[in-house]
Amino acid sequence: MNPGVLAGIGSAAIWAVASTLMASSSTRVDAVSVSAVRGAWGALALLIVLPFVIMSGGFDAMTVAVAVAVIGSALVGHSLGDTLYVFSLNALGLTRAFTISLGLFVFLTYALGIVFLGDAITLAEVIGSLLVLVGVYLVALRGRRRGAPETAPAGSGNLKQGLALVGITALIWAIATVWLGDAVEGQNAVAVTALRLPASALVVGFVAGAMPRSSVRRWQISRWDHGALFLAGVAGTGLGSLLWIYAVQEAGVGRAAVASAISPLFAVPLGAIFLGERLTLWLVVGVAVAVAGIILIS
């Protein structure tokens, strides 16, 4: 299997865990503060390794134009896209927000990659992509016991607003991914990540600090939420982003996007383990279909 696809799958698993942690905190902490605290922890972890990256020459091949693209894609994808995604978690609930945003993200990333990057696509990759998306649908939407609880309050926001949020989020993620994919070829993945995340964290942190009623500004974040967002930041934003950049470099934006779309395959079992949701036949079938798709695109 292509190592980039494997990295994308690893990023998907980590993103599923991070999304579950963010969803659990988003009922008590506002979306901008969730994004800011998570980003701050992730950036801090990367700043620790930054001196080693500099000494090893990780930035030697990075031009000013590449640095601008790396930071710009971070501001678009992380600062704006991820914050809107946290808003959508409250509007739609974790399962629906997760599935719709990732499904649209895959489609839009493939389309933009073909149009702007000239990505080639084979029949096997088309079939594999469709199988992955069918598997995601079966697991996320059919793979739950009827009446099972959601990991976030699905009815806590306006449905139309939530759908608009996930649609905009998916488009923003796709634009940021294509922009990043065009810039990071031949770059050190750790150096790229170490540049992206602190830049994004600074912007979101400034916005959260400037908002009079934000949880950050009012110091209203519990130790439990700090712990959850610490894990979401260090693992999801730090390690997950590093794996994602490597996936984009090695597999291309389209195949990396499809690999990331299997995140619900990890999110639903997490719900079964931590929320007592019963596994169903649809979930097992969905996993098998998605795995077949991954083999085809790899």
Side-chain angles (χ1 to χ4, degrees), residues 10-26 34-35 38-39 42 78 82 85-86 89 94 98 151 173 224-225 227-241 263 266-267 270 274:
S11 175
I14 292 171
W15 178 237
V17 174
S19 285
T20 304
L21 292 168
M22 287 190 294
S24 68
S25 294
S26 67
V34 167
S35 186
R38 180 200 64 151
H78 282 306
D82 286 7
Y85 174 68
V86 178
L89 289 173
L94 178 62
F98 211 112
T151 53
W173 283 344
W224 193 97
D225 287 318
L229 295 175
F230 169 79
L231 293 175
V234 174
T237 308
L239 180 58
S241 294
S263 289
F266 301 103
L270 286 174
F274 295 105

Side-chain angles (χ1 to χ4, degrees), residues 159-245:
L159 178 61
K160 292 183 179 179
Q161 181 184 34
L163 292 174
L165 282 172
V166 292
I168 295 170
T169 297
L171 178 60
I172 289 172
W173 283 344
I175 291 171
T177 299
V178 172
W179 191 4
L180 180 67
D182 193 35
V184 299
E185 184 176 355
Q187 300 294 322
N188 183 296
V190 179
V192 171
T193 308
L195 184 61
R196 293 181 84 226
L197 296 190
S200 174
L202 281 174
V203 171
V204 181
F206 176 80
V207 173
M211 293 172 58
R213 299 188 62 82
S214 74
S215 299
V216 167
R217 178 74 174 268
R218 299 167 71 183
W219 295 89
Q220 291 182 333
I221 303 177
S222 67
R223 291 183 179 179
W224 193 97
D225 287 318
H226 263 300
L229 295 175
F230 169 79
L231 293 175
V234 174
T237 308
L239 180 58
S241 294
L242 178 61
L243 289 174
W244 172 245
I245 290 169

Side-chain angles (χ1 to χ4, degrees), residues 78-178:
H78 282 306
S79 301
L80 181 57
D82 286 7
T83 303
L84 291 178
Y85 174 68
V86 178
F87 275 110
S88 76
L89 289 173
N90 268 331
L92 296 178
L94 178 62
T95 298
R96 281 191 290 177
F98 211 112
T99 305
I100 296 170
S101 62
L102 283 172
L104 289 175
F105 166 64
V106 170
F107 171 77
L108 292 171
T109 302
Y110 253 116
L112 292 177
I114 291 170
V115 172
F116 293 105
L117 301 182
D119 288 350
I121 186 167
T122 66
L123 179 60
E125 289 176 343
V126 171
I127 296 173
S129 301
L130 292 174
L131 288 176
V132 168
L133 295 178
V134 169
V136 166
Y137 168 80
L138 292 176
V139 169
L141 301 183
R142 299 294 299 275
R144 291 177 177 271
R145 176 172 55 87
R146 184 170 296 179
E150 296 280 358
T151 53
S156 62
N158 181 274
L159 178 61
K160 292 183 179 179
Q161 181 184 34
L163 292 174
L165 282 172
V166 292
I168 295 170
T169 297
L171 178 60
I172 289 172
W173 283 344
I175 291 171
T177 299
V178 172

Side-chain angles (χ1 to χ4, degrees), residues 124-125 127-132 258 288-298:
E125 289 176 343
I127 296 173
S129 301
L130 292 174
L131 288 176
V132 168
V258 173
V289 171
V291 169
I294 294 169
I295 293 172
L296 282 175
I297 66 171
S298 62

